[in-house]
Amino acid sequence: MKLLHKDIEKDNAGQVTLVPEEAEDMWHTYNLLQVGDSLRASTIRKVQTESPTGSVGSSRVRTTLTLCVETIDFDSQACQLRVKGTNIEENQYSKGHVEGVE
């Protein structure tokens, strides 16, 4: 795992920016996260759009979400980290409660 930024206070509060380089890095991230932490991650969302004629279409867009972590799960078979939480920074593709960020 690559550490891009670290800003830790004496009371252990602070923030780090990490970039996973191997599947095993998700396990280490799982052990670092706690309920109540803020997590910013890139994800893909299905977005529905309505044209002026009324037809509805959908597309997949990459967006960045910032969550207040509520639950954390690690799938050891797929080496995937699943985080459920409330979105704390709205963007054009998401508002409010968000689940299943991987």
Side-chain angles (χ1 to χ4, degrees):
M1 181 155 359
K2 184 182 275 188
L3 175 65
L4 297 181
H5 174 77
K6 179 173 88 170
D7 183 17
I8 306 294
E9 304 294 327
K10 290 185 184 206
D11 63 354
N12 289 330
Q15 64 181 10
V16 293
T17 303
L18 303 170
V19 176
E21 296 177 318
E22 300 175 14
E24 185 179 301
D25 291 341
M26 289 294 103
W27 170 250
H28 297 296
T29 304
Y30 170 73
N31 287 297
L32 289 171
L33 276 176
Q34 295 181 351
V35 172
D37 285 350
S38 295
L39 172 71
R40 179 174 293 140
S42 176
T43 186
I44 296 175
R45 292 286 180 229
K46 184 177 176 182
V47 176
Q48 291 187 336
T49 55
E50 186 174 341
S51 71
T53 61
S55 63
V56 176
S58 66
S59 61
R60 294 169 50 97
V61 297
R62 181 166 295 280
T63 187
T64 301
L65 298 176
T66 304
L67 304 179
C68 179
V69 176
E70 293 175 0
T71 62
I72 312 159
D73 183 44
F74 180 74
D75 181 345
S76 60
Q77 298 297 316
C79 282
Q80 286 187 334
L81 183 64
R82 293 190 178 93
V83 178
K84 177 180 173 184
T86 303
N87 189 26
I88 57 176
E89 287 184 14
E90 292 185 1
N91 64 34
Q92 68 188 65
Y93 302 115
S94 68
K95 293 180 174 64
H97 192 75
V98 177
E99 295 183 18
V101 175
E102 296 181 8

Coordinates of all heavy atoms in Angstrom, one line a residue:
M1 N 0.9 -1.2 0.0 CA 0.0 0.0 0.0 C 0.9 1.2 0.0 O 1.9 1.3 0.7 CB -0.9 0.0 1.2 CG -1.8 1.2 1.3 SD -3.4 1.1 2.2 CE -3.5 -0.5 2.8
K2 N 0.5 2.2 -0.8 CA 1.3 3.4 -0.8 C 0.6 4.5 0.0 O -0.6 4.8 -0.1 CB 1.3 3.9 -2.3 CG 2.2 5.1 -2.5 CD 2.2 5.6 -3.9 CE 3.2 4.8 -4.7 NZ 3.4 5.3 -6.1
L3 N 1.4 5.1 0.9 CA 0.9 6.2 1.7 C 1.2 7.5 1.0 O 2.4 7.9 0.8 CB 1.7 6.2 3.1 CG 1.4 7.3 4.0 CD1 -0.1 7.3 4.5 CD2 2.3 7.2 5.2
L4 N 0.2 8.3 0.6 CA 0.4 9.5 -0.1 C 0.4 10.7 0.8 O 1.1 11.7 0.5 CB -0.8 9.7 -1.1 CG -0.9 8.7 -2.3 CD1 -2.0 9.0 -3.2 CD2 0.4 8.6 -3.0
H5 N -0.3 10.7 1.9 CA -0.4 11.8 2.8 C -0.7 11.3 4.2 O -1.5 10.4 4.4 CB -1.6 12.8 2.3 CG -1.8 13.9 3.3 ND1 -1.0 15.0 3.3 CD2 -2.8 14.1 4.2 CE1 -1.5 15.8 4.3 NE2 -2.6 15.3 4.8
K6 N -0.1 12.0 5.2 CA -0.4 11.6 6.6 C -0.4 12.9 7.4 O 0.5 13.7 7.3 CB 0.7 10.7 7.1 CG 0.5 10.3 8.5 CD 1.5 9.2 9.0 CE 2.8 9.8 9.4 NZ 3.7 8.8 10.1
D7 N -1.4 13.1 8.2 CA -1.5 14.2 9.1 C -2.2 13.7 10.4 O -3.4 13.7 10.5 CB -2.4 15.3 8.4 CG -2.5 16.6 9.3 OD1 -1.7 16.7 10.2 OD2 -3.4 17.4 9.0
I8 N -1.4 13.3 11.3 CA -1.9 12.7 12.6 C -1.5 13.6 13.7 O -0.4 14.0 13.9 CB -1.3 11.3 12.8 CG1 -1.5 10.4 11.6 CG2 -1.8 10.6 14.1 CD1 -2.9 10.0 11.3
E9 N -2.5 13.9 14.6 CA -2.3 14.7 15.8 C -1.8 13.8 16.9 O -1.8 12.6 16.8 CB -3.6 15.3 16.2 CG -4.3 16.2 15.1 CD -3.5 17.4 14.7 OE1 -2.8 18.0 15.6 OE2 -3.5 17.8 13.6
K10 N -1.4 14.4 18.0 CA -0.9 13.7 19.2 C -2.0 12.8 19.8 O -1.6 11.8 20.5 CB -0.3 14.7 20.2 CG 1.0 15.3 19.7 CD 1.6 16.2 20.8 CE 2.8 16.8 20.2 NZ 3.8 17.2 21.1
D11 N -3.2 13.2 19.7 CA -4.3 12.4 20.2 C -4.8 11.3 19.2 O -5.8 10.7 19.4 CB -5.5 13.3 20.6 CG -6.1 14.0 19.4 OD1 -5.6 13.9 18.3 OD2 -7.2 14.6 19.7
N12 N -4.0 11.0 18.2 CA -4.3 10.0 17.2 C -5.4 10.4 16.2 O -5.8 9.5 15.4 CB -4.5 8.6 17.8 CG -3.2 8.0 18.3 OD1 -2.1 8.3 17.8 ND2 -3.3 7.2 19.4
A13 N -5.9 11.6 16.3 CA -6.9 12.0 15.3 C -6.2 12.5 14.1 O -5.0 13.0 14.2 CB -7.8 13.2 15.9
G14 N -6.8 12.4 13.0 CA -6.1 12.9 11.8 C -6.6 12.2 10.5 O -7.7 11.6 10.5
Q15 N -5.8 12.3 9.5 CA -6.2 11.7 8.2 C -5.0 11.2 7.5 O -3.9 11.6 7.7 CB -6.9 12.7 7.3 CG -6.1 13.9 6.9 CD -6.9 14.8 6.0 OE1 -8.1 14.7 5.9 NE2 -6.2 15.8 5.4
V16 N -5.3 10.1 6.7 CA -4.2 9.6 5.8 C -4.9 9.3 4.4 O -6.1 9.1 4.3 CB -3.7 8.2 6.4 CG1 -2.9 8.4 7.6 CG2 -4.8 7.2 6.5
T17 N -4.0 9.4 3.4 CA -4.4 9.1 2.1 C -3.6 7.9 1.6 O -2.4 7.9 1.6 CB -4.2 10.3 1.1 OG1 -4.8 11.4 1.6 CG2 -4.6 10.0 -0.3
L18 N -4.3 6.8 1.3 CA -3.7 5.5 1.0 C -4.2 5.1 -0.4 O -5.3 5.3 -0.8 CB -4.1 4.4 2.0 CG -3.8 4.7 3.5 CD1 -4.5 3.6 4.3 CD2 -2.4 4.7 3.7
V19 N -3.3 4.4 -1.1 CA -3.6 3.8 -2.4 C -3.2 2.4 -2.4 O -2.1 2.0 -2.2 CB -2.8 4.5 -3.6 CG1 -3.1 3.8 -4.9 CG2 -3.2 6.0 -3.6
P20 N -4.2 1.5 -2.5 CA -3.9 0.0 -2.4 C -3.2 -0.4 -3.7 O -3.5 0.1 -4.8 CB -5.3 -0.6 -2.4 CG -6.2 0.4 -2.9 CD -5.7 1.7 -2.6
E21 N -2.2 -1.2 -3.5 CA -1.4 -1.7 -4.7 C -1.6 -3.2 -4.9 O -1.3 -3.7 -6.0 CB 0.1 -1.4 -4.5 CG 0.4 0.1 -4.4 CD 1.8 0.5 -4.2 OE1 2.4 -0.2 -3.3 OE2 2.3 1.4 -4.8
E22 N -2.0 -3.9 -3.9 CA -2.3 -5.3 -3.9 C -3.6 -5.7 -3.3 O -4.1 -4.9 -2.5 CB -1.2 -6.1 -3.2 CG 0.2 -5.9 -3.7 CD 1.3 -6.5 -2.9 OE1 0.9 -7.4 -2.1 OE2 2.5 -6.2 -3.1
A23 N -4.2 -6.8 -3.6 CA -5.5 -7.2 -3.1 C -5.4 -7.3 -1.5 O -6.3 -6.9 -0.8 CB -5.9 -8.5 -3.6
E24 N -4.3 -7.7 -1.0 CA -4.1 -7.8 0.5 C -4.2 -6.5 1.2 O -4.5 -6.4 2.4 CB -2.8 -8.5 0.7 CG -2.5 -8.8 2.2 CD -1.2 -9.4 2.4 OE1 -0.9 -10.5 1.9 OE2 -0.4 -8.9 3.2
D25 N -4.0 -5.4 0.5 CA -4.1 -4.1 1.1 C -5.5 -3.8 1.6 O -5.6 -3.0 2.5 CB -3.6 -3.0 0.1 CG -2.1 -3.1 -0.2 OD1 -1.4 -3.7 0.6 OD2 -1.7 -2.5 -1.2
M26 N -6.5 -4.4 1.0 CA -7.9 -4.2 1.4 C -8.0 -4.7 2.9 O -8.8 -4.1 3.7 CB -8.9 -4.8 0.5 CG -9.0 -4.1 -0.8 SD -9.7 -2.4 -0.7 CE -8.3 -1.4 -0.8
W27 N -7.3 -5.8 3.2 CA -7.4 -6.4 4.5 C -6.8 -5.4 5.5 O -7.3 -5.2 6.6 CB -6.6 -7.7 4.6 CG -6.4 -8.2 5.9 CD1 -5.3 -8.3 6.6 CD2 -7.5 -8.7 6.8 NE1 -5.5 -8.9 7.9 CE2 -6.8 -9.1 8.0 CE3 -8.8 -8.9 6.7 CZ2 -7.5 -9.7 9.1 CZ3 -9.5 -9.5 7.8 CH2 -8.9 -9.8 9.0
H28 N -5.7 -4.8 5.2 CA -5.0 -3.8 6.1 C -5.9 -2.6 6.2 O -6.0 -2.0 7.4 CB -3.7 -3.4 5.5 CG -2.7 -4.6 5.5 ND1 -2.3 -5.2 6.6 CD2 -2.1 -5.2 4.4 CE1 -1.5 -6.2 6.3 NE2 -1.3 -6.2 4.9
T29 N -6.6 -2.2 5.2 CA -7.5 -1.0 5.3 C -8.7 -1.4 6.2 O -9.1 -0.5 7.0 CB -8.0 -0.6 3.9 OG1 -6.9 -0.4 3.0 CG2 -8.9 0.6 3.9
Y30 N -9.2 -2.6 6.1 CA -10.3 -3.1 6.9 C -9.9 -3.0 8.4 O -10.7 -2.6 9.2 CB -10.6 -4.5 6.5 CG -11.5 -5.2 7.5 CD1 -12.9 -4.9 7.5 CD2 -11.1 -6.2 8.4 CE1 -13.8 -5.6 8.4 CE2 -11.9 -6.8 9.2 CZ -13.3 -6.5 9.3 OH -14.1 -7.2 10.1
N31 N -8.7 -3.3 8.7 CA -8.2 -3.2 10.1 C -7.9 -1.8 10.6 O -7.8 -1.5 11.8 CB -6.9 -4.1 10.3 CG -7.3 -5.5 10.3 OD1 -8.0 -6.0 11.1 ND2 -6.8 -6.3 9.2
L32 N -7.8 -0.8 9.7 CA -7.6 0.6 10.0 C -8.9 1.3 10.3 O -8.9 2.2 11.1 CB -6.8 1.3 9.0 CG -5.3 0.9 8.8 CD1 -4.7 1.5 7.6 CD2 -4.5 1.3 10.1
L33 N -9.9 1.0 9.5 CA -11.2 1.7 9.6 C -12.0 1.4 10.8 O -11.9 0.2 11.3 CB -12.1 1.3 8.4 CG -11.8 2.1 7.1 CD1 -12.7 1.5 6.0 CD2 -12.1 3.6 7.2
Q34 N -12.7 2.4 11.3 CA -13.6 2.2 12.5 C -14.9 2.9 12.2 O -15.0 3.8 11.4 CB -13.0 2.8 13.7 CG -11.7 2.2 14.2 CD -11.2 2.9 15.5 OE1 -11.7 3.9 15.9 NE2 -10.2 2.3 16.1
V35 N -16.0 2.4 12.8 CA -17.3 3.0 12.7 C -17.1 4.5 13.1 O -16.5 4.7 14.2 CB -18.3 2.3 13.5 CG1 -19.6 3.0 13.6 CG2 -18.5 0.9 12.9
G36 N -17.7 5.4 12.4 CA -17.6 6.8 12.7 C -16.5 7.5 11.9 O -16.5 8.8 11.8
D37 N -15.6 6.8 11.3 CA -14.6 7.4 10.4 C -15.2 8.0 9.2 O -16.3 7.5 8.8 CB -13.5 6.4 10.0 CG -12.6 6.0 11.2 OD1 -12.6 6.7 12.2 OD2 -11.8 5.0 11.0
S38 N -14.5 8.9 8.6 CA -14.9 9.4 7.2 C -14.0 8.7 6.2 O -12.8 8.5 6.4 CB -14.7 10.9 7.1 OG -15.5 11.6 8.0
L39 N -14.7 8.2 5.1 CA -14.0 7.5 4.1 C -14.3 8.1 2.7 O -15.5 8.3 2.4 CB -14.4 6.0 4.1 CG -13.9 5.2 2.9 CD1 -12.4 5.0 3.1 CD2 -14.6 3.8 2.9
R40 N -13.3 8.5 2.0 CA -13.5 9.0 0.6 C -13.0 8.0 -0.3 O -11.9 7.5 -0.3 CB -12.8 10.3 0.4 CG -13.0 10.9 -1.0 CD -12.4 12.2 -1.2 NE -13.2 13.2 -0.4 CZ -12.6 14.2 0.3 NH1 -11.3 14.3 0.3 NH2 -13.4 15.0 1.1
A41 N -13.9 7.5 -1.3 CA -13.5 6.5 -2.2 C -14.2 6.7 -3.6 O -15.3 7.3 -3.6 CB -13.9 5.1 -1.7
S42 N -13.6 6.2 -4.6 CA -14.2 6.3 -5.9 C -15.1 5.1 -6.1 O -14.7 4.0 -5.7 CB -13.0 6.3 -7.0 OG -13.5 6.2 -8.3
T43 N -16.2 5.3 -6.8 CA -17.1 4.2 -7.0 C -17.9 4.4 -8.3 O -17.8 5.5 -8.9 CB -18.1 4.1 -5.8 OG1 -18.9 2.9 -6.0 CG2 -19.0 5.3 -5.7
I44 N -18.6 3.4 -8.8 CA -19.4 3.5 -10.0 C -20.8 3.4 -9.6 O -21.2 2.5 -8.9 CB -19.0 2.5 -11.0 CG1 -17.5 2.7 -11.5 CG2 -19.9 2.5 -12.2 CD1 -17.0 1.6 -12.4
R45 N -21.6 4.4 -10.1 CA -23.0 4.4 -9.8 C -23.8 4.4 -11.1 O -23.4 5.0 -12.1 CB -23.4 5.7 -9.1 CG -22.9 5.7 -7.7 CD -23.7 4.8 -6.8 NE -23.2 4.7 -5.5 CZ -23.0 3.6 -4.8 NH1 -23.1 2.5 -5.4 NH2 -22.6 3.7 -3.6
K46 N -25.0 3.8 -11.1 CA -25.9 3.8 -12.2 C -26.8 5.0 -12.0 O -27.5 5.2 -11.0 CB -26.8 2.5 -12.2 CG -27.7 2.4 -13.4 CD -28.4 1.1 -13.3 CE -29.4 1.0 -14.4 NZ -30.2 -0.3 -14.4
V47 N -26.8 5.9 -13.1 CA -27.5 7.1 -13.0 C -28.6 7.1 -14.1 O -28.3 6.8 -15.2 CB -26.6 8.3 -13.2 CG1 -27.3 9.6 -13.2 CG2 -25.5 8.3 -12.1
Q48 N -29.8 7.5 -13.7 CA -30.9 7.6 -14.6 C -31.1 9.0 -15.1 O -31.1 9.9 -14.2 CB -32.2 7.0 -14.1 CG -32.2 5.5 -13.9 CD -33.5 5.0 -13.5 OE1 -34.4 5.7 -12.9 NE2 -33.8 3.7 -13.7
T49 N -31.3 9.2 -16.3 CA -31.5 10.6 -16.9 C -32.8 10.6 -17.7 O -33.2 9.6 -18.3 CB -30.3 11.0 -17.8 OG1 -30.2 10.1 -18.8 CG2 -29.1 11.2 -17.0
E50 N -33.5 11.7 -17.7 CA -34.7 11.9 -18.5 C -34.5 13.0 -19.5 O -34.0 14.1 -19.2 CB -35.8 12.3 -17.6 CG -37.2 12.3 -18.3 CD -38.3 12.5 -17.3 OE1 -38.2 12.3 -16.1 OE2 -39.4 12.9 -17.8
S51 N -34.7 12.6 -20.8 CA -34.5 13.6 -21.8 C -35.7 14.5 -21.9 O -36.8 14.3 -21.3 CB -34.4 12.8 -23.2 OG -35.6 12.3 -23.6
P52 N -35.6 15.6 -22.7 CA -36.7 16.6 -22.8 C -38.0 15.9 -23.4 O -39.1 16.4 -23.2 CB -36.2 17.6 -23.8 CG -34.7 17.5 -23.6 CD -34.4 16.1 -23.3
T53 N -37.8 14.8 -24.1 CA -39.0 14.1 -24.7 C -39.7 13.2 -23.7 O -40.7 12.7 -24.0 CB -38.6 13.3 -26.0 OG1 -37.6 12.4 -25.6 CG2 -38.0 14.3 -27.0
G54 N -39.0 13.0 -22.6 CA -39.6 12.1 -21.5 C -39.0 10.7 -21.5 O -39.4 10.0 -20.6
S55 N -38.2 10.4 -22.4 CA -37.6 9.0 -22.4 C -36.6 9.0 -21.3 O -35.9 10.0 -21.0 CB -37.0 8.7 -23.7 OG -36.0 9.5 -24.0
V56 N -36.5 7.8 -20.6 CA -35.5 7.6 -19.5 C -34.4 6.7 -20.0 O -34.6 5.7 -20.6 CB -36.3 7.0 -18.3 CG1 -35.3 6.7 -17.2 CG2 -37.4 8.0 -17.8
G57 N -33.2 7.1 -19.7 CA -32.0 6.3 -20.0 C -31.2 6.2 -18.8 O -31.4 6.9 -17.8
S58 N -30.2 5.3 -18.8 CA -29.3 5.1 -17.7 C -27.9 4.9 -18.2 O -27.7 4.4 -19.3 CB -29.8 3.9 -16.8 OG -29.6 2.7 -17.5
S59 N -27.0 5.3 -17.3 CA -25.6 5.2 -17.7 C -24.8 4.9 -16.4 O -25.3 5.3 -15.3 CB -25.1 6.4 -18.4 OG -25.2 7.5 -17.6
R60 N -23.6 4.4 -16.5 CA -22.8 4.2 -15.3 C -21.7 5.3 -15.3 O -21.1 5.6 -16.3 CB -22.1 2.8 -15.4 CG -23.2 1.7 -15.3 CD -22.6 0.3 -15.6 NE -21.4 0.0 -15.0 CZ -21.3 -0.7 -13.9 NH1 -22.4 -1.2 -13.3 NH2 -20.1 -1.0 -13.3
V61 N -21.6 5.9 -14.1 CA -20.7 7.0 -14.0 C -19.7 6.8 -12.8 O -20.2 6.2 -11.8 CB -21.4 8.4 -13.8 CG1 -22.2 8.8 -15.0 CG2 -22.2 8.4 -12.6
R62 N -18.5 7.2 -12.9 CA -17.6 7.1 -11.8 C -17.7 8.4 -11.0 O -17.7 9.5 -11.6 CB -16.1 7.0 -12.3 CG -15.1 6.9 -11.2 CD -13.8 6.4 -11.6 NE -13.8 5.1 -12.1 CZ -13.8 4.0 -11.4 NH1 -13.8 4.1 -10.0 NH2 -13.7 2.8 -11.9
T63 N -17.8 8.3 -9.7 CA -18.0 9.4 -8.8 C -17.2 9.1 -7.5 O -16.8 8.0 -7.2 CB -19.5 9.7 -8.5 OG1 -19.5 10.9 -7.8 CG2 -20.1 8.6 -7.7
T64 N -16.9 10.2 -6.8 CA -16.2 10.0 -5.5 C -17.2 10.3 -4.4 O -17.9 11.4 -4.4 CB -15.0 11.0 -5.4 OG1 -14.1 10.7 -6.5 CG2 -14.3 10.9 -4.1
L65 N -17.3 9.4 -3.4 CA -18.2 9.6 -2.3 C -17.4 9.8 -1.0 O -16.3 9.2 -0.9 CB -19.1 8.4 -2.1 CG -20.0 8.0 -3.3 CD1 -20.8 6.7 -3.0 CD2 -21.0 9.1 -3.5
T66 N -17.9 10.5 -0.1 CA -17.3 10.7 1.2 C -18.4 10.2 2.2 O -19.5 10.8 2.3 CB -16.9 12.1 1.5 OG1 -16.0 12.6 0.5 CG2 -16.3 12.2 2.9
L67 N -18.1 9.1 2.9 CA -19.1 8.5 3.8 C -18.6 8.6 5.3 O -17.4 8.6 5.6 CB -19.2 7.0 3.5 CG -19.5 6.6 2.1 CD1 -19.6 5.1 2.0 CD2 -20.9 7.1 1.7
C68 N -19.6 8.7 6.1 CA -19.4 8.5 7.6 C -19.7 7.0 7.8 O -20.8 6.5 7.6 CB -20.4 9.3 8.4 SG -20.2 9.0 10.2
V69 N -18.7 6.2 8.1 CA -18.7 4.8 8.2 C -19.7 4.3 9.2 O -19.6 4.7 10.4 CB -17.3 4.2 8.4 CG1 -17.4 2.6 8.5 CG2 -16.4 4.6 7.3
E70 N -20.6 3.4 8.8 CA -21.6 2.8 9.7 C -21.3 1.3 10.0 O -21.3 0.8 11.1 CB -23.0 2.9 9.2 CG -23.5 4.4 9.2 CD -24.9 4.5 8.6 OE1 -25.5 3.5 8.2 OE2 -25.3 5.7 8.5
T71 N -21.0 0.6 8.9 CA -20.6 -0.8 9.0 C -19.4 -1.1 8.0 O -19.3 -0.5 7.0 CB -21.7 -1.8 8.7 OG1 -22.2 -1.7 7.4 CG2 -22.9 -1.6 9.7
I72 N -18.6 -2.1 8.4 CA -17.5 -2.4 7.6 C -17.5 -4.0 7.4 O -17.6 -4.7 8.4 CB -16.1 -2.0 8.2 CG1 -16.2 -0.5 8.7 CG2 -15.0 -2.2 7.3 CD1 -15.2 -0.2 9.7
D73 N -17.3 -4.5 6.2 CA -17.2 -5.9 6.0 C -16.1 -6.2 5.0 O -15.9 -5.4 4.1 CB -18.5 -6.4 5.5 CG -18.6 -7.9 5.3 OD1 -18.1 -8.6 6.2 OD2 -19.0 -8.4 4.2
F74 N -15.4 -7.3 5.3 CA -14.3 -7.7 4.4 C -14.6 -9.1 3.8 O -14.9 -10.0 4.6 CB -13.0 -7.7 5.1 CG -11.8 -8.1 4.2 CD1 -11.3 -7.2 3.3 CD2 -11.3 -9.4 4.3 CE1 -10.3 -7.6 2.4 CE2 -10.2 -9.8 3.5 CZ -9.7 -8.9 2.5
D75 N -14.6 -9.2 2.5 CA -14.9 -10.5 1.8 C -13.5 -11.1 1.5 O -12.8 -10.6 0.6 CB -15.7 -10.2 0.5 CG -16.0 -11.5 -0.2 OD1 -15.3 -12.6 0.1 OD2 -16.8 -11.5 -1.1
S76 N -13.1 -12.1 2.3 CA -11.8 -12.6 2.2 C -11.6 -13.4 0.8 O -10.5 -13.5 0.3 CB -11.4 -13.5 3.3 OG -12.3 -14.6 3.5
Q77 N -12.7 -13.9 0.3 CA -12.6 -14.7 -1.0 C -12.3 -13.8 -2.1 O -11.5 -14.1 -3.0 CB -13.9 -15.4 -1.2 CG -14.2 -16.5 -0.2 CD -13.2 -17.6 -0.1 OE1 -12.8 -18.1 -1.1 NE2 -12.8 -18.0 1.1
A78 N -12.9 -12.6 -2.1 CA -12.7 -11.6 -3.3 C -11.7 -10.5 -2.9 O -11.4 -9.7 -3.7 CB -14.1 -11.0 -3.6
C79 N -11.3 -10.5 -1.7 CA -10.4 -9.4 -1.2 C -11.0 -8.1 -1.4 O -10.4 -7.1 -1.9 CB -9.0 -9.5 -1.8 SG -8.0 -10.8 -1.1
Q80 N -12.3 -8.0 -1.1 CA -13.1 -6.7 -1.3 C -13.5 -6.2 0.1 O -13.9 -6.9 1.0 CB -14.3 -6.9 -2.1 CG -14.0 -7.1 -3.6 CD -15.3 -7.1 -4.4 OE1 -16.3 -7.5 -3.9 NE2 -15.1 -6.8 -5.7
L81 N -13.4 -4.9 0.2 CA -13.9 -4.2 1.4 C -15.2 -3.6 1.1 O -15.4 -2.9 0.1 CB -12.9 -3.1 1.7 CG -13.1 -2.2 3.0 CD1 -13.0 -3.1 4.2 CD2 -12.0 -1.1 3.0
R82 N -16.2 -3.8 1.9 CA -17.6 -3.3 1.7 C -17.8 -2.3 2.9 O -17.7 -2.7 4.1 CB -18.6 -4.4 1.6 CG -18.5 -5.2 0.4 CD -19.6 -6.1 0.2 NE -19.5 -6.9 -1.0 CZ -18.9 -8.1 -1.1 NH1 -18.4 -8.7 0.0 NH2 -18.8 -8.7 -2.2
V83 N -18.2 -1.1 2.6 CA -18.5 -0.1 3.6 C -19.9 0.4 3.4 O -20.3 0.8 2.3 CB -17.4 1.0 3.5 CG1 -17.7 2.1 4.5 CG2 -16.0 0.5 3.7
K84 N -20.6 0.5 4.5 CA -22.0 1.1 4.4 C -21.9 2.4 5.3 O -21.3 2.4 6.4 CB -23.0 0.1 5.0 CG -24.4 0.7 5.1 CD -25.3 -0.3 5.7 CE -26.7 0.2 5.9 NZ -27.6 -0.7 6.6
G85 N -22.5 3.4 4.8 CA -22.5 4.7 5.6 C -23.4 5.7 4.9 O -24.0 5.5 3.9
T86 N -23.4 6.9 5.6 CA -24.2 8.0 5.1 C -23.2 9.0 4.4 O -22.2 9.3 4.9 CB -24.8 8.8 6.3 OG1 -25.6 7.8 7.1 CG2 -25.7 9.9 5.9
N87 N -23.7 9.4 3.2 CA -22.9 10.3 2.4 C -22.9 11.7 3.1 O -23.9 12.2 3.5 CB -23.5 10.4 1.0 CG -22.6 11.2 0.1 OD1 -21.4 11.3 0.2 ND2 -23.2 11.8 -0.9
I88 N -21.7 12.2 3.4 CA -21.6 13.5 4.1 C -21.1 14.6 3.2 O -21.1 15.8 3.7 CB -20.6 13.3 5.3 CG1 -19.2 12.9 4.9 CG2 -21.2 12.4 6.4 CD1 -18.2 12.8 6.0
E89 N -20.9 14.3 1.9 CA -20.6 15.4 0.9 C -21.4 15.1 -0.3 O -21.0 14.2 -1.1 CB -19.1 15.4 0.6 CG -18.2 16.0 1.7 CD -16.8 16.1 1.3 OE1 -16.4 16.0 0.1 OE2 -15.9 16.3 2.2
E90 N -22.4 15.8 -0.5 CA -23.3 15.6 -1.7 C -22.6 16.0 -2.9 O -21.8 16.9 -2.9 CB -24.6 16.3 -1.5 CG -25.5 15.8 -0.4 CD -26.8 16.5 -0.4 OE1 -27.1 17.4 -1.3 OE2 -27.6 16.2 0.5
N91 N -22.9 15.3 -4.0 CA -22.4 15.6 -5.3 C -23.6 15.5 -6.3 O -24.7 15.1 -5.9 CB -21.1 14.9 -5.8 CG -21.4 13.4 -5.9 OD1 -22.4 12.9 -6.3 ND2 -20.4 12.6 -5.6
Q92 N -23.3 15.7 -7.6 CA -24.4 15.6 -8.5 C -25.1 14.3 -8.7 O -26.2 14.1 -9.2 CB -24.0 16.2 -9.9 CG -23.0 15.3 -10.6 CD -22.5 15.9 -11.9 OE1 -21.8 17.0 -11.8 NE2 -22.8 15.4 -13.0
Y93 N -24.4 13.2 -8.3 CA -24.9 11.9 -8.4 C -25.4 11.2 -7.2 O -26.0 10.1 -7.2 CB -23.8 11.0 -9.1 CG -23.3 11.5 -10.4 CD1 -22.0 11.9 -10.5 CD2 -24.1 11.5 -11.5 CE1 -21.5 12.4 -11.7 CE2 -23.7 12.0 -12.7 CZ -22.4 12.4 -12.8 OH -21.9 12.9 -14.0
S94 N -25.1 11.8 -6.0 CA -25.6 11.1 -4.8 C -26.0 12.1 -3.7 O -25.5 13.2 -3.6 CB -24.4 10.3 -4.2 OG -23.4 11.2 -3.8
K95 N -27.0 11.7 -2.9 CA -27.5 12.5 -1.8 C -27.8 11.5 -0.7 O -28.3 10.4 -1.0 CB -28.7 13.3 -2.2 CG -28.4 14.4 -3.2 CD -29.7 15.1 -3.6 CE -29.5 16.3 -4.5 NZ -29.0 16.0 -5.8
G96 N -27.6 11.9 0.5 CA -28.0 11.1 1.7 C -27.4 9.8 1.9 O -26.2 9.6 1.7
H97 N -28.2 8.8 2.2 CA -27.7 7.5 2.6 C -27.2 6.7 1.4 O -27.9 6.5 0.4 CB -28.9 6.7 3.3 CG -28.4 5.5 4.0 ND1 -27.8 5.5 5.2 CD2 -28.5 4.2 3.7 CE1 -27.5 4.3 5.6 NE2 -28.0 3.5 4.7
V98 N -26.0 6.1 1.6 CA -25.4 5.3 0.5 C -25.0 4.0 1.1 O -24.5 3.9 2.2 CB -24.2 6.0 -0.1 CG1 -23.5 5.2 -1.1 CG2 -24.6 7.3 -0.6
E99 N -25.2 2.9 0.4 CA -24.8 1.6 0.8 C -24.0 0.9 -0.2 O -24.1 1.1 -1.4 CB -26.0 0.7 1.1 CG -26.9 1.2 2.2 CD -28.0 0.2 2.5 OE1 -28.0 -0.9 2.1 OE2 -29.0 0.7 3.2
G100 N -23.1 0.0 0.2 CA -22.4 -0.9 -0.7 C -21.3 -0.3 -1.5 O -21.1 -0.7 -2.6
V101 N -20.6 0.6 -0.9 CA -19.4 1.1 -1.6 C -18.3 0.0 -1.5 O -18.0 -0.4 -0.4 CB -18.9 2.4 -1.0 CG1 -17.6 2.9 -1.7 CG2 -20.0 3.4 -1.2
E102 N -17.7 -0.4 -2.6 CA -16.7 -1.4 -2.6 C -15.4 -0.8 -3.2 O -15.4 0.0 -4.0 CB -17.1 -2.6 -3.5 CG -18.3 -3.3 -3.0 CD -18.7 -4.5 -3.8 OE1 -17.9 -4.9 -4.7 OE2 -19.7 -5.1 -3.5

